[in-house]
Amino acid sequence: MSEHTYLQLPIGADEGFPQAFRLNFNGNRYQIVLYVNVLEGTQPDADDIFTLPALGAFMVMRVLREDSTGTRVISQRKLVLNLEFEAADVVFRFTRMRVARRNLNGVGSFGSQVLGGIATRWAS
């Protein structure tokens, strides 16, 4: 069981992938970039949804931190469901990654759901 309390990330799955947003958290500003890689020939399920990660399909998250000296990448990795991963002073965890084929480079309500959270890595 996680010792962290997660704040839900403001992911707009209907906005499609790739997508990026800024997030102010714990006195820092982050840029979060999410994108999906699907190998050619990989097919979604009968509902036209990719449940990620899957054979031939996965989601990647890049995390950048902004400060007075500029912006730098603090993490980039493939996402795995229910696995906590650290990026400098924060941790992330994703509990659902379902992306409709039509939300790959497309906007609309097609059944995509991506739920993830951010938490402070160390207790304050």
Side-chain angles (χ1 to χ4, degrees), residues 4-115:
H4 299 102
T5 301
Y6 285 89
L7 172 71
Q8 186 169 322
L9 293 170
I11 301 165
D14 291 347
E15 296 301 312
F17 297 91
Q19 75 172 254
F21 54 88
R22 280 195 165 117
L23 179 70
N24 289 320
F25 181 76
N26 241 18
N28 291 306
R29 177 173 235 163
Y30 299 93
Q31 294 177 24
I32 309 292
V33 179
L34 297 166
Y35 62 91
V36 177
N37 278 343
V38 178
L39 293 176
E40 190 173 332
T42 302
Q43 297 298 314
D45 67 18
D47 293 326
D48 215 21
I49 303 279
F50 292 100
T51 300
L52 305 173
L55 186 61
F58 56 89
M59 183 173 286
V60 173
M61 183 167 95
R62 181 181 305 135
V63 181
L64 301 96
R65 185 168 51 206
E66 301 175 12
D67 62 28
S68 61
T69 63
T71 302
R72 66 182 175 94
V73 175
I74 59 171
S75 179
Q76 181 168 327
R77 63 169 294 143
K78 289 181 185 180
L79 299 177
V80 177
L81 285 175
N82 300 309
L83 177 68
E84 282 188 344
F85 69 92
E86 300 167 351
D89 57 343
V90 293
V91 292
F92 294 90
R93 186 167 158 248
F94 283 77
T95 57
R96 183 176 269 277
M97 292 184 289
R98 292 177 36 87
V99 177
R101 181 187 52 78
R102 292 169 55 185
N103 282 133
L104 298 176
N105 300 309
V107 175
S109 183
F110 306 116
S112 294
Q113 293 182 309
V114 177
L115 299 175

